[in-house]
């Protein structure tokens, strides 16, 4: 029996539709600029013929389950929502082919990549890491995971987000610049992917700021809904 100096960090996990067993989360990979219109609104258009996808990470400890109220975060005055399809991996894979995607996918979820946009843009423009803008407490919001079942490898479906019921983001998964098989094939050139890894696949256009009292709702067809309420500042 190992004795620790202080209690180890707990395992972070998410509920799964249709079972009491929970999905233990390993790593959270996030894809940057994966919808053309969002890349343009951020002032960084993407040319797939000459560019590759890029990634940043959030710690598993940043996870928040859908339905939560989170404090307006410290250190920002421009706190943004980003609605995203989350792919939950259920197998290990390294240097995958695109045809391996189906066996890698355990299921899907609706997620929010909450962002301190002011800090992210300062970091971006100074060539610094994005961690302060992206990898902060309670910044990875995620719905119940829906097992892949007969959804297969999702290629299309509506993705939408509202703030206080007002539509802000409306797009389709078919507009992903790099689709799920392409992302798995690329990311697995750099990492030994594992069951428990989550991939936030990027947000469509229409990102924007929220303030205390706002209620975010977002949906992905055939997957489900994610909800978040913004509380008072810490
Ligand atoms: Mn994002």
């Amino acid at each position: 029996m190992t004795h620790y100096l202080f209690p180890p960090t707990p395992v972070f996990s998410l509920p799964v539709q249709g079972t009491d067993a929970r999905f233990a989360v390993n790593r959270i990979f996030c894809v940057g600029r994966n919808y053309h219109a969002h890349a343009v609104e951020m002032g960084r258009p993407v040319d797939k013929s000459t560019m590759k996808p890029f990634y940043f990470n959030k710690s598993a400890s940043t996870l928040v389950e859908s339905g939560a109220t989170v404090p307006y975060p410290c250190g920002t005055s421009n706190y943004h929502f980003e609605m995203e399809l989350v792919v939950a991996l259920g197998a290990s894979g390294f240097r995958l082919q695109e045809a391996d995607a189906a066996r890698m996918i355990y299921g899907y979820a609706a997620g929010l990549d909450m962002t301190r946009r002011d800090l992210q843009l300062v970091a971006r423009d100074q060539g610094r890491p994005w961690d302060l803008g992206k990898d902060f407490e309670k910044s990875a919001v995620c719905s119940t995971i829906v097992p892949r079942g007969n959804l297969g490898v999702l290629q299309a479906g509506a993705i939408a987000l509202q703030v206080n019921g007002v539509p802000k983001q409306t797009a389709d998964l078919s507009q992903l610049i790099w689709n799920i098989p392409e992302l798995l094939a690329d990311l697995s050139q750099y990492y030994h992917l594992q069951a428990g890894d989550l991939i936030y696949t990027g947000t469509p256009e229409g990102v924007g700021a929220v303030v205390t009292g706002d209620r975010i709702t977002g949906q992905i067809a055939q997957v489900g809904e994610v909800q978040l309420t913004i509380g008072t500042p810490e």
Side-chain angles (χ1 to χ4, degrees), residues 26-27 29 92-95 187-188 190-194 197:
N26 183 35
R27 291 170 294 187
F29 298 101
S92 300
F94 182 53
R95 295 176 178 157
L187 188 58
S188 68
Y190 304 96
Y191 294 94
H192 293 75
L193 298 178
Q194 297 172 38
D197 289 340

Side-chain angles (χ1 to χ4, degrees), residues 51-227:
M51 299 167 79
K52 298 208 5 152
F54 73 95
Y55 311 94
F56 57 90
N57 290 70
K58 295 195 183 216
S59 309
S61 60
T62 65
L63 271 175
V64 175
E65 286 187 34
S66 176
T69 298
V70 300
Y72 190 96
C74 54
T76 184
S77 55
N78 196 16
Y79 178 45
H80 271 212
F81 54 82
E82 296 191 357
M83 179 67 202
E84 310 203 2
L85 170 69
V86 180
V87 179
L89 300 189
S92 300
F94 182 53
R95 295 176 178 157
L96 295 165
Q97 304 296 310
E98 291 180 25
D100 295 321
R103 75 166 179 84
M104 290 295 296
I105 299 169
Y106 176 81
Y108 301 102
L112 297 171
D113 165 17
M114 298 303 293
T115 300
R116 288 164 167 155
R117 188 71 72 201
D118 40 5
L119 300 191
Q120 181 212 1
L121 294 183
V122 166
R124 183 191 75 178
D125 295 344
Q126 297 185 345
R128 292 175 176 167
W130 287 12
D131 301 48
L132 286 179
K134 290 290 196 178
D135 184 17
F136 59 96
E137 292 148 6
K138 303 184 191 301
S139 68
V141 188
C142 198
S143 73
T144 295
I145 292 174
V146 176
R148 171 169 57 88
N150 52 20
L151 291 177
V153 180
L154 280 179
Q155 297 181 324
I159 177 169
L161 177 144
Q162 307 82 35
V163 178
N164 304 324
V166 178
K168 299 291 186 182
Q169 294 187 281
T170 304
D172 195 279
L173 300 177
S174 61
Q175 296 169 307
L176 283 167
I177 298 173
W178 285 278
N179 63 27
I180 295 169
E182 291 170 332
L183 291 174
L184 290 173
D186 184 71
L187 188 58
S188 68
Q189 305 302 310
Y190 304 96
Y191 294 94
H192 293 75
L193 298 178
Q194 297 172 38
D197 289 340
L198 298 179
I199 302 172
Y200 279 60
T201 54
T203 194
E205 70 275 20
V207 300
V210 284
V211 297
T212 295
D214 282 346
R215 183 163 183 273
I216 300 171
T217 48
Q219 307 81 27
I220 296 174
Q222 298 183 281
V223 173
E225 175 159 300
V226 61
Q227 302 175 1

